[in-house]
Amino acid sequence: IPHDIRGYQITKNFNKCLDCHAWNRAQETGATKISVTHFRDRDGHELAGVSTRRYFCVQCHVAQTDAKPLVANTFQKSTGLQ
């Protein structure tokens, strides 16, 4: 998440993220639309709204920071998928 989310309310009845990232708001706000994958249930069926398993954004998405890494990183780019 490339912006501050302090104070954002995300409850079972309200999700502040959807004020900007919902499909019907994204063009107006300039925000990235929620992925279509967020509109599928665990069996792959399309839903009219955001799936309950994808509704609480901060379970997976976190605010970016300039913090130094906690551990050294030795990851290397894969050469097999080019």
Side-chain angles (χ1 to χ4, degrees):
I1 303 172
H3 57 81
D4 188 16
I5 59 169
R6 260 179 288 202
Y8 272 40
Q9 182 180 6
I10 303 175
T11 69
K12 67 178 185 159
N13 297 316
F14 181 78
N15 183 329
K16 177 67 174 165
C17 302
L18 298 178
D19 284 355
C20 297
H21 295 280
W23 280 41
N24 62 343
R25 298 282 315 207
Q27 186 172 10
E28 175 187 341
T29 63
T32 302
K33 287 191 290 188
I34 300 170
S35 168
V36 295
T37 61
H38 288 52
F39 292 87
R40 294 187 190 124
D41 66 15
R42 66 180 174 187
D43 297 320
H45 301 115
E46 287 189 20
L47 305 170
V50 177
S51 171
T52 55
R53 66 191 192 113
R54 299 285 188 110
Y55 182 80
F56 293 96
C57 309
V58 294
Q59 285 183 316
C60 299
H61 302 278
V62 297
Q64 296 174 357
T65 183
D66 290 330
K68 293 183 180 184
L70 297 175
V71 296
N73 182 341
T74 60
F75 293 113
Q76 296 181 8
K77 182 178 176 182
S78 173
T79 57
L81 301 173
Q82 294 182 352

